[in-house]
Amino acid sequence: MTFPRHRGLTEQAAQAAVDSACRMLRLPTIRRQFGELADTATREQMTYLGFLAELLMAECDDRARRRSERRIKATAFPRDKSLREYDFDANPHIDPAVIHTLAACEWVKKGQPLCLIGDSGTGKSHLLIALGTEAAMKGFRVRYTLATKLVNELVEAADDKQLSKTIARYGRVDLLCIDELGYMELDRRGAELLFQVLTEREEKASVAIASNESFGGWTKTFTDPRLCAAIVDRLTFGGNIIETGTESYRLAQTRARVEQRTAG
């Protein structure tokens, strides 16, 4: 397709030409916003160069936003959680400065592990998802899974002779978030398969886990003591350990709401 190059384009023809060009060049943001930005440019007496810069920056910003949204969607997080929503005042065990340092994602860049340890309702999963979201927004490939779901997937892959392919797929992400590790006992085969995933990622790519058990209680999940020790070593060497405590602020919030209704 060719476009007319003479100066006599009517306003309507110019708009149609811009629309067609944007479709051809795949510039959806400029296509949507050029009319509004053109009005702004006229009103603020922008130079041609300034107007062009505004158009291109709008396209770049929107592309970055869409990429970020795609990365967050690819994480398979079960729900949206952000650090802004986390109530640090309700959990004195959590140092906000430490969490916001982790949100910079240098540990992901370095391939270091992260362990969030604490009882139910203390905000482990919230922090796991929120920090994973921060990583995705910064351009890292992130994947979330429940520990039992991951192990079941690995067992099925092994039965179908697809284990190497599955482990390689999990090995390609920059950050693997494993939630609810320690809630259920794993048989030796499942534990060994999980160990293979951790070994594949060791010192190359980050693993973040959330567990309701302290490391001393992991022998209930990984019943082989030597394998348990090896898994703990993989998840703690050179990494960050955040203890979220034992008091459920989720339960405390529920009680507070009940008390408010009763008082009202």
Side-chain angles (χ1 to χ4, degrees):
M1 181 178 180
T2 58
F3 298 97
R5 295 291 192 274
H6 56 80
R7 297 173 180 271
L9 281 178
T10 65
E11 192 76 6
Q12 186 176 4
Q15 289 179 358
V18 171
D19 186 272
S20 296
C22 287
R23 289 177 186 274
M24 182 179 293
L25 296 172
R26 297 181 181 177
L27 302 171
T29 305
I30 292 179
R31 179 172 166 264
R32 286 196 310 270
Q33 297 185 16
F34 78 87
E36 180 183 342
L37 290 174
D39 291 341
T40 301
T42 301
R43 189 167 57 252
E44 297 182 2
Q45 297 183 324
M46 286 185 188
T47 63
Y48 292 129
L49 186 61
F51 175 47
L52 177 60
E54 287 291 331
L55 285 174
L56 295 177
M57 286 191 294
E59 187 68 45
C60 289
D61 289 346
D62 203 41
R63 286 191 181 189
R65 179 188 59 77
R66 294 197 302 271
R67 283 196 299 269
S68 179
E69 289 176 351
R70 286 195 297 270
R71 284 193 298 268
I72 292 172
K73 186 176 181 179
T75 64
F77 287 134
R79 52 199 171 275
D80 294 333
K81 293 291 182 182
S82 70
L83 292 181
R84 292 190 304 275
E85 297 169 335
Y86 193 82
D87 189 353
F88 289 100
D89 293 334
N91 191 341
H93 296 280
I94 304 297
D95 184 346
V98 170
I99 299 302
H100 287 112
T101 298
L102 290 172
C105 297
E106 282 298 312
W107 59 284
V108 181
K109 188 181 298 184
K110 296 174 181 177
Q112 296 173 338
L114 169 66
C115 296
L116 297 158
I117 310 293
D119 283 2
S120 296
T122 56
K124 303 181 305 298
S125 293
H126 187 138
L127 290 174
L128 182 70
I129 294 172
L131 289 171
T133 300
E134 291 291 329
M137 291 171 64
K138 287 178 173 58
F140 294 102
R141 293 165 297 177
V142 182
R143 179 73 182 181
Y144 169 96
T145 183
L146 298 176
T148 51
K149 182 179 178 182
L150 173 58
V151 169
N152 289 338
E153 184 178 350
L154 293 170
V155 170
E156 290 177 7
D159 291 341
D160 295 337
K161 303 189 186 315
Q162 298 290 317
L163 182 61
S164 296
K165 186 183 294 185
T166 302
I167 289 177
R169 188 174 74 249
Y170 279 106
R172 284 193 292 269
V173 299
D174 301 305
L175 171 60
L176 176 59
C177 299
I178 305 176
D179 206 353
E180 297 186 2
L181 185 64
Y183 279 76
M184 294 182 66
E185 178 183 322
L186 302 177
D187 61 22
R188 183 177 179 83
R189 186 188 185 204
E192 287 176 345
L193 292 173
L194 178 59
F195 180 69
Q196 286 187 50
V197 172
L198 300 179
T199 300
E200 173 73 16
R201 301 182 61 79
E202 186 181 13
E203 296 185 29
K204 294 187 297 184
S206 293
V207 176
I209 65 101
S211 176
N212 66 325
E213 284 283 356
S214 63
F215 295 120
W218 280 23
T219 50
K220 290 182 287 186
T221 300
F222 307 104
T223 53
D224 183 315
R226 293 178 64 185
L227 184 58
C228 180
I231 288 174
V232 171
D233 180 67
R234 294 289 190 279
L235 289 172
T236 57
F237 180 71
N240 302 277
I241 301 172
I242 305 293
E243 296 184 357
T244 59
T246 58
E247 298 177 9
S248 172
Y249 74 79
R250 194 163 54 206
L251 179 59
Q253 288 176 334
T254 301
R255 286 174 175 166
R257 285 195 297 269
V258 170
E259 290 174 0
Q260 285 179 346
R261 285 198 298 269
T262 303

